[in-house]
Amino acid sequence: MKNLVHHTPIRTSTTLDQSVGMNVYLKMENEQKTGAFKARGACFKIGCMNDEAAKRGVIAASAGNHAQGVALAAAKRGIQAKIFMPIHTPKPKVEATKSYGAAVELAGENFQEALFAAQKEQQQTGSTFIHPFDDVDVIAGQGTIAIEMLTDQPQLDTLIVPIGGGGLISGIAFAAKQMKPSIRIIGVQTEAACATYHTFHKHLLPSLTCKTIAEGIAVKEPGKVTMPLIQQYVDDVVTVSEHDIAASILQLLERHKTLAEGAGAAAFAALMRHHQSIHSKHCGIIISGGNFDLQKLSELHAHTMHLPANSMA
């Protein structure tokens, strides 16, 4: 796995630290191979497959970043990959997945519908299914982020992590708590897709649109494998608005000279919105991906101009 993924850097900013009243460490998974953390879990999973399973090829469903990770890992091992993606997946993510050699089929309005289509084909073909989050090997691969962060910055006392299906935060929370039991893990979801937030806080699950600029975490229901891990190892889950995320993408780009996609900026958005209630001296933020469609930059300005600004504390 070491030869397939980067040990990504941690960035700091004195100006940011002063604005939120704590030392902040940005883990730049937007600089990971394929532009997102998903390469870690996919490479670990496919690397663990036996030859018999590999010969059957792999199949997956993804909103974009898992697709690229699976495509990369499959290409490195010389096996066939087919990825089902929602029909509204940003074109750059679709084209990038194809560029790694995977076959792509657009199916469904959202991740759940693409997942159903992929599982249906997997039953017919016998290919090995690579789930984007509900798989212990995928979760283990994502956990390498926590190992890197606490090795590079052992003083970290809090990590803020975006949640879609929960694979990233499950892996990070489990690994981090083994290395440093006192560390706090805070998950973040967008208000448009916050099923894990409601489940974690034992609320009735509302009907969710999952229409969000953070399509990478637009998942309608918690993972069956990941939710118990989140309940055991995560300390809190918060939400952010579309305005928060849009403003954070722009702030990361303008002030920190780094491009994050909607899901990739969610943890940063949580820091900016909730920092007054986050009691931390050394806080790690996962910038989980950077595969943003630049043609949609004008939409970000629309979000920040027309939505209420009071959510950016």
Side-chain angles (χ1 to χ4, degrees), residues 105-161:
E105 183 164 333
L106 301 180
E109 292 288 326
N110 52 49
F111 167 74
Q112 257 70 29
E113 292 179 8
L115 177 64
F116 178 78
Q119 291 173 327
K120 185 176 180 180
E121 177 145 326
Q122 187 274 334
Q123 292 171 357
Q124 296 172 348
T125 64
S127 299
T128 300
F129 190 76
I130 311 294
H131 200 285
F133 50 84
D134 255 349
D135 183 292
V136 292
D137 290 329
V138 170
I139 291 169
Q142 321 304 20
T144 59
I145 294 173
I147 296 171
E148 290 179 8
M149 292 185 76
L150 284 170
T151 299
D152 293 346
Q153 301 288 344
Q155 74 274 31
L156 287 167
D157 56 41
T158 304
L159 298 178
I160 304 180
V161 189

